[in-house]
Amino acid sequence: MAKFLAKLLGCTLPSKGASPMFESTSHSRVGLKASTKQKTTIFSTLANEKSLPDCKKEQQWKPSMYSSITPICFASPLLEKPVGKESMPQTPPFSAMFDSSGYNRNLYQSADDSCGGLYYHDNNLLSGSLEALIQHLVPNVDYYPDRTYIFTFLLSSRLFMHPYELMAKVCHLCVEHQRLSDPNSDKNQIRKIAPKILQLLTEWTETFPYDFRDERMMRNLKDLAHRIASGEEQTYRKNVQQMIQCLIRKLAALSQYEEVLAKISSTSTDRLTVLKTKPQSIQRDIITVCSDPYTLAQQLTHIELERLNYIGPEEFVQAFVQKGPLDNDKSCYSERKKTRNLEAYVEWFNRLSYLVATEICMPVKKKHRARMIEYFIDVARECFNIGNFNSLMAIISGMNMSPVSRLKKTWAKVKTAKFDVLEHQMDPSSNFYNYRTALRGAAQRSLTAHSSREKIVIPFFSLLIKDIYFLNEGCANRLPNGHVNFEKFWELAKQVSEFMTWKQVECPFERDRKILQYLLTVPVFSEDALYLASYESEGPENHIEKDRWKSLRSSLLGRV
């Protein structure tokens, strides 16, 4: 994971002749200038209060190209905020909490600067002790935490403790403070608090379901749910069963997705190996599989949204968790680093870059290579129009790899005006100013969309990770007085909540399984094979290239 993170954080759009964005650290890369400016964002609908029908429409599980599991629903009604005096200030929804100008200054009705170990300034929650923040998470008869606070704390708390440790504390507070274990406790009070505890558990399982792959989490969840369901109310038992069944199905879908990814990875073959066993004349290329660049851009969008959908919001935080010097649990570091879906998405970017380079370098004839370059330029342009910036950047990255960019005779036959425009849009200068402007435009279009196609926003993923990384590194997790720096985590939650909105979009384009299969499984050249194919197409220009060509022919083809 450390190597993965180092590669990811050292990458930007390569100029012509550079290596692909996520390749080994031995290759030179252009540095990314960190920016501390707050960028305009789209705010998640995750925290908006909605009716049950609306939630059901939005939270339907999306059928996967990798599976045929029956769709399930993770929606549950949100509790009405309790009437009367609340014991703690309420947290506003994301739409009120976050805007492009900063924090709302009229968030809380409390005039106190501190409340039970929580510190407020201008009515904003800025910090608090970890214990106070945990207590702020747990509902009581007169209080239920707002969804924005739940999301923000569950997201950021893993920087301080394991999710199973937090769940144990929450269970203890619910059982002991609300006297759920006392058979003589007031049934009226239990009837008031039980649905709130159930709602908290439901929000946790829906928003951070991957936490419950840990048996300790599932054990605590079932124990607390059993206490709630053991009362007289049949409704609670039904809701508890529905919550656990939905969680289990969600985790089963994830396991199936991971199995397919592992299968694809295990059967991957280097394209050069295939060329040795099959004559090139009978092999397919991308144009024979999909002659229409617009259709290919749509199928790429299917893959992007599919893989985005499986990335949990916690993976953005867990990618940067480091083991503390006083932490004696040797498994702590590895357990927290559950970022496999995030890494799989980055690997997809690499694959697409290499696929583009392979398809360009493979043809023997110059005119066919030029046609392939123009084809991918059209695909990239359509990706830009769709709002699929990640595929766009992967295609540009592939065309800028050294084995492709050195094909000067091929590029001389290409009309590059459209490619120059795309490169300008993704120019890394001024901290990707042009791209960020285009992203804001796509985000605004998504907010006012009249069709599902207009809702698509697929960000350049490595830059999203970098923004979150710099936010995490640029601000301390704790203040000098030991309080958790919650102001930082509001901002972190705001950035991750954008992603939560974007990943829930349904892909409106019709699937083409033949094209998807090709994109996901066709063998691609290794870097050495790309150089060899490039030299075979257009001979070495200097002694260094000539020596490398001879070396590659000897090692890869067994020729002198």
Side-chain angles (χ1 to χ4, degrees):
M1 182 64 206
K3 289 182 180 178
F4 156 77
L5 193 55
K7 292 175 187 176
L8 187 61
L9 294 172
C11 66
T12 67
L13 174 66
S15 57
K16 277 190 171 59
S19 298
M21 235 162 291
F22 304 117
E23 271 312 291
S24 68
T25 52
S26 63
H27 303 132
S28 60
R29 286 176 288 252
V30 181
L32 177 69
K33 182 169 60 179
S35 172
T36 56
K37 293 182 181 178
Q38 188 177 36
K39 62 186 178 68
T40 305
T41 55
I42 312 177
F43 309 110
S44 174
T45 56
L46 176 70
N48 291 345
E49 305 287 344
K50 293 184 176 67
S51 64
L52 178 59
D54 288 337
C55 287
K56 285 182 176 178
K57 285 179 185 176
E58 290 190 7
Q59 298 184 358
Q60 283 288 337
W61 182 79
K62 294 185 280 190
S64 168
M65 70 179 70
Y66 305 102
S67 63
S68 56
I69 296 178
T70 307
I72 57 177
C73 178
F74 295 98
S76 59
L78 297 174
L79 292 172
E80 294 292 331
K81 290 186 178 178
V83 179
K85 186 177 180 181
E86 298 172 344
S87 62
M88 288 184 171
Q90 285 288 293
T91 312
F94 272 120
S95 55
M97 179 69 187
F98 304 127
D99 60 32
S100 59
S101 61
Y103 295 104
N104 187 310
R105 293 302 177 184
N106 297 289
L107 299 183
Y108 304 107
Q109 298 303 313
S110 171
D112 297 333
D113 282 338
S114 61
C115 179
L118 303 178
Y119 176 73
Y120 300 88
H121 179 69
D122 288 344
N123 294 325
N124 292 302
L125 175 59
L126 297 186
S127 68
S129 67
L130 187 57
E131 287 300 320
L133 292 168
I134 293 172
Q135 295 217 22
H136 195 42
L137 179 70
V138 179
N140 58 40
V141 173
D142 300 314
Y143 164 77
Y144 185 78
D146 200 273
R147 295 192 75 184
T148 48
Y149 179 78
I150 295 172
F151 177 74
T152 303
F153 186 68
L154 292 181
L155 177 69
S156 59
S157 62
R158 61 199 71 235
L159 289 169
F160 306 99
M161 60 198 308
H162 291 278
Y164 78 83
E165 293 172 325
L166 176 61
M167 172 61 85
K169 285 181 177 288
V170 168
C171 289
H172 174 76
L173 289 172
C174 289
V175 171
E176 297 302 321
H177 291 196
Q178 308 307 328
R179 302 175 64 191
L180 293 180
S181 58
D182 185 355
N184 300 318
S185 58
D186 185 351
K187 300 294 182 186
N188 246 350
Q189 180 166 331
I190 291 179
R191 272 195 289 269
K192 288 181 181 179
I193 190 62
K196 295 181 180 180
I197 295 174
L198 179 58
Q199 176 64 19
L200 176 65
L201 297 178
T202 302
E203 292 197 39
W204 196 336
T205 58
E206 287 179 354
T207 313
F208 299 93
Y210 302 168
D211 285 349
F212 294 87
R213 300 184 92 174
D214 188 323
E215 292 180 5
R216 295 165 292 192
M217 287 286 293
M218 191 64 85
R219 189 164 54 245
N220 279 325
L221 172 68
K222 289 181 177 179
D223 178 64
L224 185 54
H226 173 73
R227 292 178 186 275
I228 294 172
S230 61
E232 301 172 0
E233 295 286 341
Q234 292 289 334
T235 308
Y236 298 157
R237 281 197 286 273
K238 182 179 177 182
N239 290 344
V240 165
Q241 289 172 357
Q242 182 184 18
M243 174 186 69
I244 292 177
Q245 287 171 2
C246 286
L247 174 61
I248 290 172
R249 275 179 262 185
K250 179 87 171 180
L251 296 179
L254 173 65
S255 294
Q256 185 169 354
Y257 166 75
E258 290 176 348
E259 286 172 9
V260 173
L261 287 184
K263 186 177 179 181
I264 290 173
S265 178
S266 65
T267 56
S268 63
T269 312
D270 182 74
R271 190 66 161 259
L272 189 61
T273 306
V274 178
L275 284 175
K276 288 178 180 179
T277 57
K278 284 186 180 180
Q280 191 167 11
S281 58
I282 67 170
Q283 292 201 40
R284 298 181 301 169
D285 63 17
I286 189 70
I287 295 178
T288 62
V289 175
C290 178
S291 59
D292 181 14
Y294 301 102
T295 300
L296 188 70
Q298 293 172 1
Q299 299 310 303
L300 288 173
T301 303
H302 266 296
I303 296 173
E304 297 280 355
L305 287 174
E306 181 73 28
R307 298 208 172 190
L308 274 182
N309 186 54
Y310 280 99
I311 299 174
E314 71 281 356
E315 295 189 45
F316 291 98
V317 174
Q318 287 168 176
F320 308 124
V321 170
Q322 296 185 11
K323 184 175 178 179
L326 301 179
D327 194 338
N328 294 320
D329 183 358
K330 294 185 186 298
S331 64
C332 170
Y333 188 87
S334 59
E335 283 185 5
R336 291 182 180 181
K337 292 285 186 178
K338 295 174 181 174
T339 56
R340 64 188 71 180
N341 300 302
L342 187 150
E343 292 183 51
Y345 190 50
V346 171
E347 288 166 7
W348 155 248
F349 182 101
N350 285 340
R351 172 179 170 77
L352 181 54
S353 294
Y354 271 87
L355 176 61
V356 170
T358 298
E359 296 286 344
I360 293 171
C361 289
M362 195 171 59
V364 175
K365 293 184 178 180
K366 183 167 45 183
K367 65 178 181 180
H368 292 162
R369 293 194 298 273
R371 182 181 67 164
M372 190 65 73
I373 290 174
E374 290 180 341
Y375 173 84
F376 276 116
I377 290 172
D378 287 337
V379 174
R381 196 166 91 165
E382 181 60 14
C383 285
F384 181 86
N385 292 334
I386 290 172
N388 180 358
F389 297 105
N390 202 57
S391 287
L392 164 63
M393 191 66 89
I395 292 170
I396 293 176
S397 177
M399 288 196 285
N400 278 331
M401 288 174 67
S402 295
V404 177
S405 63
R406 67 168 298 278
L407 299 172
K408 295 177 183 177
K409 294 176 183 177
T410 302
W411 281 96
K413 288 187 167 292
V414 175
K415 297 176 182 177
T416 59
K418 289 185 287 186
F419 185 59
D420 293 340
V421 171
L422 292 173
E423 282 200 308
H424 174 72
Q425 289 291 342
M426 307 307 283
D427 182 0
S429 62
S430 301
N431 198 13
F432 284 89
Y433 176 82
N434 293 341
Y435 158 71
R436 292 183 190 276
T437 301
L439 180 66
R440 284 197 296 271
Q444 187 59 40
R445 180 184 69 180
S446 179
L447 288 175
T448 58
H450 298 294
S451 68
S452 53
R453 175 179 172 134
E454 293 177 336
K455 292 181 180 179
I456 297 172
V457 182
I458 303 173
F460 172 31
F461 197 65
S462 78
L463 193 59
L464 175 63
I465 294 287
K466 282 181 150 183
D467 287 344
I468 293 173
Y469 173 81
F470 286 132
L471 171 62
N472 183 60
E473 290 297 302
C475 303
N477 290 335
R478 289 189 185 269
L479 302 178
N481 64 358
H483 273 200
V484 172
N485 182 6
F486 214 73
E487 188 173 20
K488 166 184 174 176
F489 297 126
W490 285 129
E491 182 64 28
L492 178 65
K494 180 173 72 170
Q495 292 202 23
V496 175
S497 71
E498 288 182 310
F499 167 80
M500 294 293 287
T501 302
W502 296 336
K503 80 167 195 166
Q504 291 168 359
V505 172
E506 296 263 6
C507 190
F509 308 119
E510 185 177 349
R511 293 176 187 272
D512 188 312
R513 295 197 174 274
K514 181 180 69 172
I515 300 172
L516 291 172
Q517 180 77 5
Y518 185 90
L519 290 169
L520 290 167
T521 64
V522 69
V524 297
F525 282 152
S526 65
E527 185 173 6
D528 283 345
L530 280 174
Y531 271 106
L532 178 59
S534 180
Y535 293 143
E536 295 287 337
S537 297
E538 295 187 20
E541 295 183 346
N542 53 54
H543 289 299
I544 295 175
E545 288 191 346
K546 194 169 184 178
D547 289 343
R548 185 171 190 184
W549 180 40
K550 288 179 180 179
S551 174
L552 290 173
R553 282 173 66 87
S554 174
S555 61
L556 299 179
L557 300 178
R559 300 175 188 172
V560 180

